Amino acid sequence: MITFVSTSPDLLEVELSIINSNPFYNRIIKGREQLTAEEIQQEVEETIQLGAERYVICSDDQPIGIVEYLSLNPNDGYPWLGLFMIDKSCQGKGQGNQAFQAFEQRLIHQGVQAFRLAVNIENEPAHIFWKRQNFQYVKHSITRDNMEVIIYEKELN
């Protein structure tokens, strides 16, 4: 069973472990393979200041990932998935699909009709994953950090 546990200081080491299990992602997003606990804590604090929700994803009470969700992006008026990361040891086993579908059901129950996410142009595994989840291409964009991304959107029924 998939559950979502609100982030807290007690989960910092869990989040650090999940994030650092994905060195490819860290390299293309942050420029290096490993992040520090301080960097993760700062990221979490910035997320909360923006009004986003951040959860540790658990499967049968075992942490397997992180999801971050902003219910209203003031830049475009859409809800956004800011981060969806599955621990490297859990990838390729269907747990990412299960976790995403469980999160999607939460959004449907909240009345969300569509939401967006951005994927770094170099992150081919993420492009494949999101297309399999029926996300549709919206546009290419450049972030404030001068990173090239593709924005995807999914409409919910």
Side-chain angles (χ1 to χ4, degrees):
M1 182 170 120
I2 300 292
T3 55
F4 301 94
V5 179
S6 291
T7 193
S8 70
D10 294 342
L11 294 171
L12 181 61
E13 290 298 321
V14 170
E15 290 195 41
L16 182 65
S17 174
I18 292 166
I19 289 170
N20 283 337
S21 77
N22 289 283
F24 169 74
Y25 176 86
N26 293 340
R27 189 172 54 253
I28 64 173
I29 301 299
K30 302 288 188 178
R32 60 191 182 292
E33 294 188 353
Q34 298 289 300
L35 303 182
T36 66
E38 293 77 21
E39 289 170 313
I40 302 303
Q41 182 159 355
Q42 181 179 352
E43 184 178 293
V44 170
E45 289 171 4
E46 290 171 2
T47 295
I48 292 169
Q49 286 175 357
L50 288 173
E53 304 167 25
R54 186 170 170 130
Y55 302 96
V56 171
I57 305 166
C58 296
S59 176
D60 298 325
D61 297 325
Q62 294 298 319
I64 64 163
I66 301 167
V67 62
E68 187 178 288
Y69 175 72
L70 181 62
S71 62
L72 182 63
N73 184 330
N75 295 325
D76 66 3
Y78 279 88
W80 276 75
L81 196 62
L83 176 67
F84 184 85
M85 180 181 286
I86 300 298
D87 190 287
K88 186 72 170 171
S89 68
C90 300
Q91 293 176 16
K93 300 175 183 177
Q95 289 181 299
N97 287 328
Q98 290 176 332
F100 175 71
Q101 292 186 8
F103 194 75
E104 186 178 74
Q105 287 303 309
R106 286 174 63 112
L107 299 180
I108 290 169
H109 284 101
Q110 292 173 5
V112 173
Q113 296 178 355
F115 66 104
R116 292 183 172 181
L117 55 82
V119 177
N120 181 293
I121 195 80
E122 297 176 46
N123 194 347
E124 191 58 34
H127 293 286
I128 292 168
F129 178 83
W130 294 118
K131 288 175 185 176
R132 284 185 184 150
Q133 304 302 323
N134 297 315
F135 276 79
Q136 302 300 313
Y137 171 87
V138 174
K139 65 180 177 178
H140 277 75
S141 187
I142 304 293
T143 67
R144 287 177 289 194
D145 300 332
N146 207 31
M147 188 179 310
E148 187 177 357
V149 297
I150 293 178
I151 296 174
Y152 293 101
E153 179 178 322
K154 182 167 187 180
E155 292 185 15
L156 303 175
N157 298 328

